[in-house]
Amino acid sequence: MATLGSLNPSVVRATCAYCRHVHNYRRCDEVSSFLNAEPAAAESLVAYYDSRYPGINGILHRALVRSKTKIRHALAESRHQLGCEPQGARWLRRHAGMILLVVFVVLLPMALSPTHPIAVYAYLADYYLPFWGPAMSPAPDDELRAFLLSERQLERYRTDLKEDVWAVNTGKLFTVVRRHDGTLEQRGVRTWNEFLPNRLPAYVAKRLDRKEISFLGDVVDAYLHSERIEAMGHYHSFGGPPSRGDQLAGHITRLPEIVVSNGIYPMVYLKGSILSFGPVTTRNEVSSLIARLDEGLQSGVAPETIIPRAATDTTESFLSYLRHRRGVDVESLDEIRNAILELCSDFRGDFKGLYETDIAIYEKEDRDVYQLLHSVSVLDGWATYGLERRGWTLVTYSEASNAPGKTAKLD
């Protein structure tokens, strides 16, 4: 287009009218809405455009170029000569905060996965976008349950829980992947907290306590070097069922959420529900008495004021564990008490370092440790008192009497 030259007052007024229109209405097609709302100003811009093309060239322009195109060209030149800033720059400045937030969200996965900055987006799309979905069907629940409750896994849980209790600033996360040979495997995932120095100011360490952000590079590495990821999981090293955050995570991702909770035996939760080791039936007398053990079995949970009268999912899982993993006759209350004393003794052996401090100190300084030890002492006291009342000799379980804060639970 030929240079428009110096602007006349009508063009200046028309340009200002256009700027006011855009500011007030902000329509999608700004030129079309301006053409309808300010016809006189639009005609001034069209006439100004036509005046710059005399002769045959002007005839062709007037015949072939649309009014909206003429207005756009005239506005571009007039705004430039008037020193008006482009609307794009103005919009960017007005929405700078939103743009920075979008850029931050888009680049955050790359920052959290420095070892696989590009592949992380394929992983997130596969498992988090509702309309995308994994390329292959997930593992059947029965297969995943059998893997999670296998003897090998239970031993690994015990080892990981012992390490997790003494970990500084961080906790253990893991994935369950399907290898290319079709078998399931648990792989550990680091957290960003692991890269922090071990000695931090007390108030910082308290803020970071058990608030882990996974090192996505490890998750993506498992995604790239296995057939697929079947589930994500973490440990509650001081006990307790899945939290609200765990349940929310299960709704956001396509991957099942696994929680392994500490206590006298590893309690495994899948999709928020505790897993059973197999079918089990007991006498009503046994069920009603075992139901009182919820406070002790659910380590890390404050005791309820109402004692259950029937077996809960937690106590049924415990009885199932005794029956199918330790060969206990769950019809015999004495055998159950026997097994509990053995499990409490094993627990004290695994976490003997925690018992070097008086439980009263934990009650004031570390409620998580206190609740865990208190829960074990509740189970120990229940079993010990019941066996003593039947005239049993507790020489075999002499260590049981050393449990801190032991309480005698009546039948």
Side-chain angles (χ1 to χ4, degrees):
M1 173 182 170
T3 303
L4 291 177
S6 27
L7 301 174
N8 59 42
S10 63
V11 175
V12 174
R13 287 193 296 271
T15 303
C16 293
Y18 174 78
C19 292
R20 286 194 302 271
H21 176 79
V22 171
H23 178 75
N24 293 331
Y25 294 94
R26 299 175 186 172
R27 302 284 177 85
C28 295
D29 191 346
E30 295 167 345
V31 173
S32 295
S33 60
F34 170 70
L35 188 61
N36 296 327
E38 302 282 350
E43 287 177 9
S44 298
L45 291 171
V46 170
Y48 194 80
Y49 178 93
D50 290 340
S51 68
R52 309 315 299 168
Y53 294 94
I56 297 177
N57 194 22
I59 294 173
L60 292 176
H61 272 264
R62 283 190 290 274
L64 301 177
V65 178
R66 297 186 308 165
S67 297
K68 289 197 295 185
T69 304
K70 295 178 182 180
I71 292 173
R72 285 195 181 95
H73 281 280
L75 282 170
E77 185 67 22
S78 64
R79 286 163 67 84
H80 174 72
Q81 292 191 32
L82 291 173
C84 299
E85 65 178 26
Q87 287 297 311
R90 195 183 217 173
W91 185 91
L92 288 174
R93 229 179 21 249
R94 191 164 56 237
H95 300 85
M98 181 65 70
I99 293 170
L100 289 175
L101 177 62
V102 171
V103 171
F104 172 77
V105 170
V106 170
L107 296 182
L108 182 60
M110 184 182 293
L112 294 177
S113 177
T115 54
H116 299 285
I118 305 301
V120 65
Y121 294 101
Y123 158 73
L124 293 174
D126 257 1
Y127 291 103
Y128 285 85
L129 293 183
F131 53 82
W132 194 284
M136 305 180 73
S137 301
D141 280 355
D142 290 344
E143 181 187 12
L144 190 56
R145 287 167 181 261
F147 169 77
L148 294 174
L149 299 181
S150 64
E151 290 290 347
R152 182 181 177 184
Q153 281 300 112
L154 291 176
E155 285 302 314
R156 176 162 186 169
Y157 300 151
R158 286 189 63 183
T159 301
D160 286 352
L161 286 168
K162 283 189 284 186
E163 294 177 1
D164 204 9
V165 164
W166 300 110
V168 180
N169 298 334
T170 186
K172 282 183 171 291
L173 311 180
F174 62 86
T175 62
V176 174
V177 301
R178 184 174 295 282
R179 301 171 59 179
H180 292 289
D181 61 4
T183 59
L184 297 178
E185 179 187 12
Q186 177 177 328
R187 292 186 183 178
V189 175
R190 289 173 292 176
T191 70
W192 279 99
N193 299 43
E194 290 185 44
F195 299 96
L196 297 174
N198 290 341
R199 294 187 177 276
L200 293 172
Y203 71 94
V204 175
K206 189 173 182 180
R207 285 278 185 180
L208 295 176
D209 187 30
R210 309 189 222 333
K211 296 178 176 67
E212 295 88 13
I213 299 176
S214 62
F215 185 84
L216 274 181
D218 290 351
V219 183
V220 178
D221 188 69
Y223 167 73
L224 294 174
H225 294 93
S226 61
E227 188 174 344
R228 65 179 176 271
I229 297 176
E230 297 288 4
M232 299 288 294
H234 64 281
Y235 292 93
H236 283 186
S237 54
F238 295 95
S243 64
R244 290 184 180 179
D246 299 332
Q247 296 172 6
L248 178 61
H251 294 298
I252 294 175
T253 176
R254 295 174 176 271
L255 294 170
E257 187 72 18
I258 302 166
V259 175
V260 181
S261 182
N262 200 3
I264 60 172
Y265 78 105
M267 302 171 69
V268 185
Y269 294 84
L270 177 63
K271 300 178 183 177
S273 300
I274 189 169
L275 298 184
S276 173
F277 292 80
V280 63
T281 56
T282 59
R283 293 181 288 114
N284 290 336
E285 175 198 1
V286 174
S287 296
S288 61
L289 291 175
I290 294 297
R292 296 169 176 256
L293 298 183
D294 257 17
E295 175 189 346
L297 292 173
Q298 296 196 59
S299 306
V301 179
E304 298 289 341
T305 55
I306 300 177
I307 299 177
R309 294 184 177 274
T312 64
D313 291 343
T314 304
T315 51
E316 286 182 356
S317 175
F318 176 58
L319 291 173
S320 174
Y321 169 77
L322 294 182
R323 168 68 181 85
H324 295 278
R325 290 295 181 270
R326 299 186 72 91
V328 174
D329 178 10
V330 294
E331 295 286 340
S332 169
L333 193 59
D334 287 340
E335 283 199 33
I336 293 174
R337 294 181 189 276
N338 227 347
I340 289 176
L341 287 175
E342 290 180 356
L343 290 170
C344 290
S345 179
D346 292 343
F347 179 90
R348 286 192 296 275
D350 289 342
F351 300 99
K352 56 185 177 182
L354 294 178
Y355 288 89
E356 294 174 359
T357 303
D358 189 86
I359 192 171
I361 297 176
Y362 288 129
E363 187 174 9
K364 295 178 181 178
E365 298 181 359
D366 196 328
R367 292 289 301 180
D368 290 331
V369 177
Y370 167 77
Q371 191 61 49
L372 177 63
L373 299 185
H374 170 75
S375 298
V376 174
S377 71
V378 165
L379 297 172
D380 180 79
W382 180 87
T384 302
Y385 181 79
L387 292 177
E388 286 176 344
R389 216 175 69 172
R390 283 166 171 74
W392 280 53
T393 302
L394 298 177
V395 176
T396 310
Y397 309 107
S398 57
E399 291 183 18
S401 61
N402 297 324
K406 184 171 66 176
T407 58
K409 288 279 203 177
L410 295 178
D411 291 342

